[in-house]
Amino acid sequence: MEVTKDLRDTNIIVDTKKIHDNMAMIKEMVGEGTEVMAVVKANGYGHGAVGIAKPLLEAGAKYLAVATLSEALELKEANLDYPVFIMGHTPDRLLHHIVEKDIAQTVFSIKQVQLLSQLAKEAGKTATVHVKLDTGFHRLGCIPSDEYVEEVCQMFEEDNICVEGIFSHLALVNDEENEKQYKLLCDFIDAVEARGFKFKYKHIADSIATVDYPEYRMNMVRAGALIYGMKGFHKGSLPVEQAMTFKTRISQLHSIKKGEGVSYDYLWKAEKDSIVATLPFGYADGYPRNLRDKGYVVINGHKAPIVGVICMDQCIADVTDIPDAKEGSEAIIYGDGTDGSMTIDEASKLADTNKNDIIARIPARPIRLYI
Ligand SMILES: *Cc1c(COP(=O)(O)O)cnc(C)c1O
């Protein structure tokens, strides 16, 4: 990080104190009896999973939750002791990594568990799994049935396996559907536990549910958006703060004449003699290409509208009315709203998507700086 930090002007600045404090706030809200999984899939929603792992664990996260094995291995590479949970499916041919690196894995069939059992036995280890129940989302897991109860009980009896948890995911359709999904999970748990098997962790709530539906927190929640300061909730509230700032610097200024166009197809044309600034970020840095004519950056405390087609690596802003805009001047792409900077919330609305999409799509190219 230190080596590469000066290699580019386009950077993601991550406030690790905010990440820590957001996490601590979630812990505090859910209280003593409930654990929090910090969801750091998609490279920590663009913040860099490895860079934020420590503050999250220090603030009390029980697990670092990811979607894929590749993400889990990246965290384990950084620190073998990090507790990592994979919420997605890991194909049979890759399950040996789970055992080798002591990663907790989502499962939904006895076949997977038997394979894990065999691999764990060979390695002299215990594989930790959480069972996924499909309560309506139809994404991962099996729907409740007597056969599935049977299968899950069988999982408990496999050697070298710790069935540590069971979980489902809310589709967040409406209160009635949420209640239906939650009840399906509870009934299933009751059926398995009536057979004498106990789940240590039970979870169904993501960020929104954690805040809006305290009754569904069970004894573990999976918070993603919240730890980055994204407020997607409606009923409850939690004063988490955006931890990410996205910045760049003007690479070149151009004086153009009234009527001249910029970028592909000259889709924007100057209405008067103007000064435009080239900025070294584009849609390959995760900036929504559909923000043409809607997006803006903030330079010296003033909004500079992005004009013309947003290119892969560069875009152009109109800085005619911005005092003292120079080559090298800092431009805030996403900020916390101070100085009028565009928040991630605003970007998501202008780009007609959600906040998680705006941050999770930011690829590795912008350099992450942790403060
Ligand atoms: C991504 C994800 C989460 C976290 O979602 P947020 O809305 O960001 O809190 C929780 N659970 C599962 C299964 C997920 O895939």
PDB file of all heavy atoms in Angstrom, residues 120-153:
ATOM      1  N   ALA A 120     -11.871 -33.129   6.387  1.00  0.00           N
ATOM      2  CA  ALA A 120     -11.467 -32.687   7.727  1.00  0.00           C
ATOM      3  C   ALA A 120     -10.812 -33.839   8.486  1.00  0.00           C
ATOM      4  O   ALA A 120      -9.819 -33.647   9.194  1.00  0.00           O
ATOM      5  CB  ALA A 120     -12.674 -32.155   8.481  1.00  0.00           C
ATOM      6  N   LYS A 121     -11.365 -35.015   8.325  1.00  0.00           N
ATOM      7  CA  LYS A 121     -10.811 -36.192   9.004  1.00  0.00           C
ATOM      8  C   LYS A 121      -9.372 -36.416   8.543  1.00  0.00           C
ATOM      9  O   LYS A 121      -8.463 -36.604   9.350  1.00  0.00           O
ATOM     10  CB  LYS A 121     -11.676 -37.420   8.688  1.00  0.00           C
ATOM     11  CG  LYS A 121     -11.731 -38.424   9.831  1.00  0.00           C
ATOM     12  CD  LYS A 121     -12.596 -39.633   9.516  1.00  0.00           C
ATOM     13  CE  LYS A 121     -14.079 -39.325   9.425  1.00  0.00           C
ATOM     14  NZ  LYS A 121     -14.890 -40.498   9.035  1.00  0.00           N
ATOM     15  N   GLU A 122      -9.181 -36.363   7.218  1.00  0.00           N
ATOM     16  CA  GLU A 122      -7.835 -36.563   6.655  1.00  0.00           C
ATOM     17  C   GLU A 122      -6.853 -35.534   7.192  1.00  0.00           C
ATOM     18  O   GLU A 122      -5.679 -35.816   7.362  1.00  0.00           O
ATOM     19  CB  GLU A 122      -7.889 -36.471   5.119  1.00  0.00           C
ATOM     20  CG  GLU A 122      -8.476 -37.704   4.463  1.00  0.00           C
ATOM     21  CD  GLU A 122      -8.904 -37.445   3.005  1.00  0.00           C
ATOM     22  OE1 GLU A 122      -8.456 -36.420   2.420  1.00  0.00           O
ATOM     23  OE2 GLU A 122      -9.687 -38.246   2.495  1.00  0.00           O
ATOM     24  N   ALA A 123      -7.357 -34.320   7.431  1.00  0.00           N
ATOM     25  CA  ALA A 123      -6.479 -33.234   7.879  1.00  0.00           C
ATOM     26  C   ALA A 123      -6.394 -33.157   9.406  1.00  0.00           C
ATOM     27  O   ALA A 123      -5.660 -32.332   9.948  1.00  0.00           O
ATOM     28  CB  ALA A 123      -6.976 -31.909   7.319  1.00  0.00           C
ATOM     29  N   GLY A 124      -7.140 -33.998  10.075  1.00  0.00           N
ATOM     30  CA  GLY A 124      -7.159 -33.956  11.530  1.00  0.00           C
ATOM     31  C   GLY A 124      -7.774 -32.672  12.062  1.00  0.00           C
ATOM     32  O   GLY A 124      -7.329 -32.104  13.052  1.00  0.00           O
ATOM     33  N   LYS A 125      -8.799 -32.179  11.361  1.00  0.00           N
ATOM     34  CA  LYS A 125      -9.428 -30.909  11.740  1.00  0.00           C
ATOM     35  C   LYS A 125     -10.931 -31.069  11.878  1.00  0.00           C
ATOM     36  O   LYS A 125     -11.481 -32.134  11.623  1.00  0.00           O
ATOM     37  CB  LYS A 125      -9.151 -29.864  10.660  1.00  0.00           C
ATOM     38  CG  LYS A 125      -7.697 -29.464  10.550  1.00  0.00           C
ATOM     39  CD  LYS A 125      -7.573 -28.332   9.549  1.00  0.00           C
ATOM     40  CE  LYS A 125      -6.195 -27.694   9.647  1.00  0.00           C
ATOM     41  NZ  LYS A 125      -6.189 -26.371   9.067  1.00  0.00           N
ATOM     42  N   THR A 126     -11.563 -29.966  12.256  1.00  0.00           N
ATOM     43  CA  THR A 126     -13.024 -29.921  12.281  1.00  0.00           C
ATOM     44  C   THR A 126     -13.476 -28.813  11.333  1.00  0.00           C
ATOM     45  O   THR A 126     -12.960 -27.700  11.396  1.00  0.00           O
ATOM     46  CB  THR A 126     -13.534 -29.616  13.704  1.00  0.00           C
ATOM     47  OG1 THR A 126     -13.119 -30.682  14.560  1.00  0.00           O
ATOM     48  CG2 THR A 126     -15.050 -29.508  13.733  1.00  0.00           C
ATOM     49  N   ALA A 127     -14.409 -29.134  10.458  1.00  0.00           N
ATOM     50  CA  ALA A 127     -14.932 -28.120   9.538  1.00  0.00           C
ATOM     51  C   ALA A 127     -16.191 -27.508  10.132  1.00  0.00           C
ATOM     52  O   ALA A 127     -17.074 -28.223  10.614  1.00  0.00           O
ATOM     53  CB  ALA A 127     -15.236 -28.744   8.184  1.00  0.00           C
ATOM     54  N   THR A 128     -16.250 -26.178  10.099  1.00  0.00           N
ATOM     55  CA  THR A 128     -17.395 -25.463  10.662  1.00  0.00           C
ATOM     56  C   THR A 128     -18.363 -25.070   9.547  1.00  0.00           C
ATOM     57  O   THR A 128     -17.938 -24.505   8.530  1.00  0.00           O
ATOM     58  CB  THR A 128     -16.914 -24.195  11.396  1.00  0.00           C
ATOM     59  OG1 THR A 128     -16.026 -24.607  12.434  1.00  0.00           O
ATOM     60  CG2 THR A 128     -18.077 -23.414  11.992  1.00  0.00           C
ATOM     61  N   VAL A 129     -19.643 -25.364   9.750  1.00  0.00           N
ATOM     62  CA  VAL A 129     -20.632 -25.031   8.717  1.00  0.00           C
ATOM     63  C   VAL A 129     -21.855 -24.346   9.318  1.00  0.00           C
ATOM     64  O   VAL A 129     -22.167 -24.530  10.500  1.00  0.00           O
ATOM     65  CB  VAL A 129     -21.092 -26.297   7.938  1.00  0.00           C
ATOM     66  CG1 VAL A 129     -19.922 -26.961   7.230  1.00  0.00           C
ATOM     67  CG2 VAL A 129     -21.798 -27.300   8.858  1.00  0.00           C
ATOM     68  N   HIS A 130     -22.518 -23.541   8.499  1.00  0.00           N
ATOM     69  CA  HIS A 130     -23.832 -22.996   8.829  1.00  0.00           C
ATOM     70  C   HIS A 130     -24.785 -23.503   7.746  1.00  0.00           C
ATOM     71  O   HIS A 130     -24.470 -23.410   6.552  1.00  0.00           O
ATOM     72  CB  HIS A 130     -23.833 -21.463   8.830  1.00  0.00           C
ATOM     73  CG  HIS A 130     -23.098 -20.840   9.988  1.00  0.00           C
ATOM     74  ND1 HIS A 130     -23.485 -19.652  10.559  1.00  0.00           N
ATOM     75  CD2 HIS A 130     -22.004 -21.252  10.679  1.00  0.00           C
ATOM     76  CE1 HIS A 130     -22.653 -19.344  11.563  1.00  0.00           C
ATOM     77  NE2 HIS A 130     -21.738 -20.292  11.643  1.00  0.00           N
ATOM     78  N   VAL A 131     -25.916 -24.007   8.171  1.00  0.00           N
ATOM     79  CA  VAL A 131     -26.905 -24.551   7.241  1.00  0.00           C
ATOM     80  C   VAL A 131     -27.740 -23.407   6.674  1.00  0.00           C
ATOM     81  O   VAL A 131     -28.178 -22.521   7.408  1.00  0.00           O
ATOM     82  CB  VAL A 131     -27.842 -25.534   7.976  1.00  0.00           C
ATOM     83  CG1 VAL A 131     -28.945 -26.027   7.043  1.00  0.00           C
ATOM     84  CG2 VAL A 131     -27.042 -26.685   8.556  1.00  0.00           C
ATOM     85  N   LYS A 132     -27.959 -23.438   5.359  1.00  0.00           N
ATOM     86  CA  LYS A 132     -28.796 -22.405   4.741  1.00  0.00           C
ATOM     87  C   LYS A 132     -30.185 -22.964   4.481  1.00  0.00           C
ATOM     88  O   LYS A 132     -30.355 -24.028   3.860  1.00  0.00           O
ATOM     89  CB  LYS A 132     -28.173 -21.927   3.426  1.00  0.00           C
ATOM     90  CG  LYS A 132     -28.921 -20.760   2.764  1.00  0.00           C
ATOM     91  CD  LYS A 132     -28.451 -19.426   3.297  1.00  0.00           C
ATOM     92  CE  LYS A 132     -29.324 -18.252   2.895  1.00  0.00           C
ATOM     93  NZ  LYS A 132     -28.816 -17.521   1.747  1.00  0.00           N
ATOM     94  N   LEU A 133     -31.190 -22.222   4.965  1.00  0.00           N
ATOM     95  CA  LEU A 133     -32.575 -22.600   4.727  1.00  0.00           C
ATOM     96  C   LEU A 133     -33.182 -21.602   3.750  1.00  0.00           C
ATOM     97  O   LEU A 133     -33.039 -20.392   3.927  1.00  0.00           O
ATOM     98  CB  LEU A 133     -33.361 -22.594   6.049  1.00  0.00           C
ATOM     99  CG  LEU A 133     -34.775 -23.153   5.955  1.00  0.00           C
ATOM    100  CD1 LEU A 133     -34.748 -24.676   5.800  1.00  0.00           C
ATOM    101  CD2 LEU A 133     -35.607 -22.774   7.179  1.00  0.00           C
ATOM    102  N   ASP A 134     -33.846 -22.133   2.736  1.00  0.00           N
ATOM    103  CA  ASP A 134     -34.533 -21.260   1.774  1.00  0.00           C
ATOM    104  C   ASP A 134     -35.947 -21.011   2.277  1.00  0.00           C
ATOM    105  O   ASP A 134     -36.780 -21.915   2.291  1.00  0.00           O
ATOM    106  CB  ASP A 134     -34.550 -21.950   0.405  1.00  0.00           C
ATOM    107  CG  ASP A 134     -35.341 -21.145  -0.625  1.00  0.00           C
ATOM    108  OD1 ASP A 134     -35.733 -19.996  -0.329  1.00  0.00           O
ATOM    109  OD2 ASP A 134     -35.565 -21.679  -1.736  1.00  0.00           O
ATOM    110  N   THR A 135     -36.198 -19.782   2.716  1.00  0.00           N
ATOM    111  CA  THR A 135     -37.532 -19.473   3.245  1.00  0.00           C
ATOM    112  C   THR A 135     -38.353 -18.656   2.243  1.00  0.00           C
ATOM    113  O   THR A 135     -39.322 -18.005   2.611  1.00  0.00           O
ATOM    114  CB  THR A 135     -37.411 -18.713   4.578  1.00  0.00           C
ATOM    115  OG1 THR A 135     -36.573 -17.568   4.380  1.00  0.00           O
ATOM    116  CG2 THR A 135     -36.819 -19.591   5.659  1.00  0.00           C
ATOM    117  N   GLY A 136     -37.906 -18.643   0.979  1.00  0.00           N
ATOM    118  CA  GLY A 136     -38.697 -17.948  -0.029  1.00  0.00           C
ATOM    119  C   GLY A 136     -37.885 -17.186  -1.065  1.00  0.00           C
ATOM    120  O   GLY A 136     -38.355 -16.944  -2.167  1.00  0.00           O
ATOM    121  N   PHE A 137     -36.669 -16.834  -0.714  1.00  0.00           N
ATOM    122  CA  PHE A 137     -35.833 -16.040  -1.624  1.00  0.00           C
ATOM    123  C   PHE A 137     -35.466 -16.866  -2.872  1.00  0.00           C
ATOM    124  O   PHE A 137     -35.282 -16.339  -3.963  1.00  0.00           O
ATOM    125  CB  PHE A 137     -34.560 -15.637  -0.863  1.00  0.00           C
ATOM    126  CG  PHE A 137     -33.889 -14.383  -1.352  1.00  0.00           C
ATOM    127  CD1 PHE A 137     -33.792 -13.267  -0.525  1.00  0.00           C
ATOM    128  CD2 PHE A 137     -33.312 -14.314  -2.613  1.00  0.00           C
ATOM    129  CE1 PHE A 137     -33.147 -12.111  -0.950  1.00  0.00           C
ATOM    130  CE2 PHE A 137     -32.677 -13.160  -3.041  1.00  0.00           C
ATOM    131  CZ  PHE A 137     -32.597 -12.063  -2.212  1.00  0.00           C
ATOM    132  N   HIS A 138     -35.328 -18.180  -2.663  1.00  0.00           N
ATOM    133  CA  HIS A 138     -34.947 -19.115  -3.735  1.00  0.00           C
ATOM    134  C   HIS A 138     -33.605 -18.768  -4.364  1.00  0.00           C
ATOM    135  O   HIS A 138     -33.468 -18.757  -5.597  1.00  0.00           O
ATOM    136  CB  HIS A 138     -36.039 -19.195  -4.819  1.00  0.00           C
ATOM    137  CG  HIS A 138     -37.341 -19.722  -4.296  1.00  0.00           C
ATOM    138  ND1 HIS A 138     -37.427 -20.639  -3.270  1.00  0.00           N
ATOM    139  CD2 HIS A 138     -38.619 -19.440  -4.643  1.00  0.00           C
ATOM    140  CE1 HIS A 138     -38.698 -20.905  -3.022  1.00  0.00           C
ATOM    141  NE2 HIS A 138     -39.451 -20.178  -3.837  1.00  0.00           N
ATOM    142  N   ARG A 139     -32.656 -18.443  -3.511  1.00  0.00           N
ATOM    143  CA  ARG A 139     -31.313 -18.137  -4.022  1.00  0.00           C
ATOM    144  C   ARG A 139     -30.363 -19.269  -3.638  1.00  0.00           C
ATOM    145  O   ARG A 139     -29.701 -19.842  -4.478  1.00  0.00           O
ATOM    146  CB  ARG A 139     -30.867 -16.798  -3.440  1.00  0.00           C
ATOM    147  CG  ARG A 139     -29.655 -16.224  -4.088  1.00  0.00           C
ATOM    148  CD  ARG A 139     -29.426 -14.776  -3.705  1.00  0.00           C
ATOM    149  NE  ARG A 139     -29.182 -14.591  -2.271  1.00  0.00           N
ATOM    150  CZ  ARG A 139     -28.832 -13.428  -1.717  1.00  0.00           C
ATOM    151  NH1 ARG A 139     -28.674 -12.365  -2.493  1.00  0.00           N
ATOM    152  NH2 ARG A 139     -28.630 -13.317  -0.422  1.00  0.00           N
ATOM    153  N   LEU A 140     -30.310 -19.558  -2.323  1.00  0.00           N
ATOM    154  CA  LEU A 140     -29.450 -20.650  -1.860  1.00  0.00           C
ATOM    155  C   LEU A 140     -30.159 -21.322  -0.688  1.00  0.00           C
ATOM    156  O   LEU A 140     -30.873 -20.674   0.070  1.00  0.00           O
ATOM    157  CB  LEU A 140     -28.101 -20.085  -1.409  1.00  0.00           C
ATOM    158  CG  LEU A 140     -26.830 -20.902  -1.655  1.00  0.00           C
ATOM    159  CD1 LEU A 140     -26.680 -21.301  -3.119  1.00  0.00           C
ATOM    160  CD2 LEU A 140     -25.599 -20.118  -1.213  1.00  0.00           C
ATOM    161  N   GLY A 141     -29.923 -22.605  -0.535  1.00  0.00           N
ATOM    162  CA  GLY A 141     -30.526 -23.335   0.573  1.00  0.00           C
ATOM    163  C   GLY A 141     -31.683 -24.187   0.117  1.00  0.00           C
ATOM    164  O   GLY A 141     -32.128 -24.072  -1.027  1.00  0.00           O
ATOM    165  N   CYS A 142     -32.154 -25.067   1.002  1.00  0.00           N
ATOM    166  CA  CYS A 142     -33.289 -25.924   0.679  1.00  0.00           C
ATOM    167  C   CYS A 142     -34.516 -25.437   1.410  1.00  0.00           C
ATOM    168  O   CYS A 142     -34.417 -24.871   2.498  1.00  0.00           O
ATOM    169  CB  CYS A 142     -32.996 -27.365   1.096  1.00  0.00           C
ATOM    170  SG  CYS A 142     -31.610 -28.046   0.184  1.00  0.00           S
ATOM    171  N   ILE A 143     -35.673 -25.679   0.820  1.00  0.00           N
ATOM    172  CA  ILE A 143     -36.917 -25.265   1.468  1.00  0.00           C
ATOM    173  C   ILE A 143     -37.207 -26.239   2.618  1.00  0.00           C
ATOM    174  O   ILE A 143     -36.781 -27.387   2.597  1.00  0.00           O
ATOM    175  CB  ILE A 143     -38.100 -25.192   0.469  1.00  0.00           C
ATOM    176  CG1 ILE A 143     -38.278 -26.533  -0.249  1.00  0.00           C
ATOM    177  CG2 ILE A 143     -37.890 -24.080  -0.532  1.00  0.00           C
ATOM    178  CD1 ILE A 143     -39.550 -26.588  -1.062  1.00  0.00           C
ATOM    179  N   PRO A 144     -37.905 -25.757   3.640  1.00  0.00           N
ATOM    180  CA  PRO A 144     -38.179 -26.603   4.802  1.00  0.00           C
ATOM    181  C   PRO A 144     -38.996 -27.834   4.407  1.00  0.00           C
ATOM    182  O   PRO A 144     -39.941 -27.725   3.621  1.00  0.00           O
ATOM    183  CB  PRO A 144     -38.999 -25.696   5.724  1.00  0.00           C
ATOM    184  CG  PRO A 144     -38.803 -24.315   5.225  1.00  0.00           C
ATOM    185  CD  PRO A 144     -38.493 -24.409   3.780  1.00  0.00           C
ATOM    186  N   SER A 145     -38.606 -28.984   4.932  1.00  0.00           N
ATOM    187  CA  SER A 145     -39.352 -30.232   4.714  1.00  0.00           C
ATOM    188  C   SER A 145     -38.889 -31.223   5.763  1.00  0.00           C
ATOM    189  O   SER A 145     -37.837 -31.027   6.375  1.00  0.00           O
ATOM    190  CB  SER A 145     -39.054 -30.804   3.320  1.00  0.00           C
ATOM    191  OG  SER A 145     -37.699 -31.226   3.265  1.00  0.00           O
ATOM    192  N   ASP A 146     -39.638 -32.272   5.948  1.00  0.00           N
ATOM    193  CA  ASP A 146     -39.229 -33.311   6.906  1.00  0.00           C
ATOM    194  C   ASP A 146     -37.909 -33.932   6.459  1.00  0.00           C
ATOM    195  O   ASP A 146     -37.047 -34.251   7.276  1.00  0.00           O
ATOM    196  CB  ASP A 146     -40.302 -34.401   7.000  1.00  0.00           C
ATOM    197  CG  ASP A 146     -41.578 -33.868   7.648  1.00  0.00           C
ATOM    198  OD1 ASP A 146     -41.514 -32.773   8.256  1.00  0.00           O
ATOM    199  OD2 ASP A 146     -42.632 -34.531   7.519  1.00  0.00           O
ATOM    200  N   GLU A 147     -37.763 -34.077   5.135  1.00  0.00           N
ATOM    201  CA  GLU A 147     -36.533 -34.680   4.612  1.00  0.00           C
ATOM    202  C   GLU A 147     -35.323 -33.803   4.943  1.00  0.00           C
ATOM    203  O   GLU A 147     -34.256 -34.308   5.279  1.00  0.00           O
ATOM    204  CB  GLU A 147     -36.607 -34.855   3.079  1.00  0.00           C
ATOM    205  CG  GLU A 147     -37.617 -35.874   2.581  1.00  0.00           C
ATOM    206  CD  GLU A 147     -39.052 -35.366   2.684  1.00  0.00           C
ATOM    207  OE1 GLU A 147     -39.317 -34.239   2.195  1.00  0.00           O
ATOM    208  OE2 GLU A 147     -39.909 -36.070   3.258  1.00  0.00           O
ATOM    209  N   TYR A 148     -35.532 -32.471   4.827  1.00  0.00           N
ATOM    210  CA  TYR A 148     -34.395 -31.568   5.090  1.00  0.00           C
ATOM    211  C   TYR A 148     -34.057 -31.565   6.589  1.00  0.00           C
ATOM    212  O   TYR A 148     -32.897 -31.495   6.957  1.00  0.00           O
ATOM    213  CB  TYR A 148     -34.684 -30.157   4.564  1.00  0.00           C
ATOM    214  CG  TYR A 148     -33.445 -29.294   4.391  1.00  0.00           C
ATOM    215  CD1 TYR A 148     -32.258 -29.822   3.882  1.00  0.00           C
ATOM    216  CD2 TYR A 148     -33.455 -27.946   4.735  1.00  0.00           C
ATOM    217  CE1 TYR A 148     -31.123 -29.035   3.731  1.00  0.00           C
ATOM    218  CE2 TYR A 148     -32.330 -27.141   4.585  1.00  0.00           C
ATOM    219  CZ  TYR A 148     -31.174 -27.693   4.084  1.00  0.00           C
ATOM    220  OH  TYR A 148     -30.049 -26.905   3.930  1.00  0.00           O
ATOM    221  N   VAL A 149     -35.076 -31.665   7.434  1.00  0.00           N
ATOM    222  CA  VAL A 149     -34.825 -31.780   8.884  1.00  0.00           C
ATOM    223  C   VAL A 149     -33.944 -33.013   9.124  1.00  0.00           C
ATOM    224  O   VAL A 149     -32.938 -32.955   9.841  1.00  0.00           O
ATOM    225  CB  VAL A 149     -36.152 -31.907   9.680  1.00  0.00           C
ATOM    226  CG1 VAL A 149     -35.868 -32.298  11.137  1.00  0.00           C
ATOM    227  CG2 VAL A 149     -36.940 -30.609   9.621  1.00  0.00           C
ATOM    228  N   GLU A 150     -34.336 -34.088   8.488  1.00  0.00           N
ATOM    229  CA  GLU A 150     -33.592 -35.350   8.602  1.00  0.00           C
ATOM    230  C   GLU A 150     -32.137 -35.158   8.164  1.00  0.00           C
ATOM    231  O   GLU A 150     -31.196 -35.584   8.836  1.00  0.00           O
ATOM    232  CB  GLU A 150     -34.294 -36.380   7.692  1.00  0.00           C
ATOM    233  CG  GLU A 150     -34.110 -37.810   8.092  1.00  0.00           C
ATOM    234  CD  GLU A 150     -34.517 -38.051   9.550  1.00  0.00           C
ATOM    235  OE1 GLU A 150     -35.644 -37.656   9.968  1.00  0.00           O
ATOM    236  OE2 GLU A 150     -33.682 -38.591  10.279  1.00  0.00           O
ATOM    237  N   GLU A 151     -31.980 -34.498   7.016  1.00  0.00           N
ATOM    238  CA  GLU A 151     -30.652 -34.299   6.435  1.00  0.00           C
ATOM    239  C   GLU A 151     -29.782 -33.452   7.359  1.00  0.00           C
ATOM    240  O   GLU A 151     -28.594 -33.725   7.532  1.00  0.00           O
ATOM    241  CB  GLU A 151     -30.814 -33.604   5.069  1.00  0.00           C
ATOM    242  CG  GLU A 151     -29.745 -34.009   4.075  1.00  0.00           C
ATOM    243  CD  GLU A 151     -30.038 -33.478   2.670  1.00  0.00           C
ATOM    244  OE1 GLU A 151     -31.183 -33.668   2.191  1.00  0.00           O
ATOM    245  OE2 GLU A 151     -29.137 -32.875   2.062  1.00  0.00           O
ATOM    246  N   VAL A 152     -30.380 -32.421   7.932  1.00  0.00           N
ATOM    247  CA  VAL A 152     -29.617 -31.526   8.802  1.00  0.00           C
ATOM    248  C   VAL A 152     -29.221 -32.256  10.096  1.00  0.00           C
ATOM    249  O   VAL A 152     -28.096 -32.113  10.586  1.00  0.00           O
ATOM    250  CB  VAL A 152     -30.395 -30.223   9.092  1.00  0.00           C
ATOM    251  CG1 VAL A 152     -29.687 -29.384  10.139  1.00  0.00           C
ATOM    252  CG2 VAL A 152     -30.569 -29.420   7.803  1.00  0.00           C
ATOM    253  N   CYS A 153     -30.132 -33.089  10.609  1.00  0.00           N
ATOM    254  CA  CYS A 153     -29.788 -33.885  11.790  1.00  0.00           C
ATOM    255  C   CYS A 153     -28.605 -34.800  11.482  1.00  0.00           C
ATOM    256  O   CYS A 153     -27.701 -34.964  12.304  1.00  0.00           O
ATOM    257  CB  CYS A 153     -30.986 -34.720  12.247  1.00  0.00           C
ATOM    258  SG  CYS A 153     -32.306 -33.714  12.955  1.00  0.00           S
TER     259      CYS A 153
END
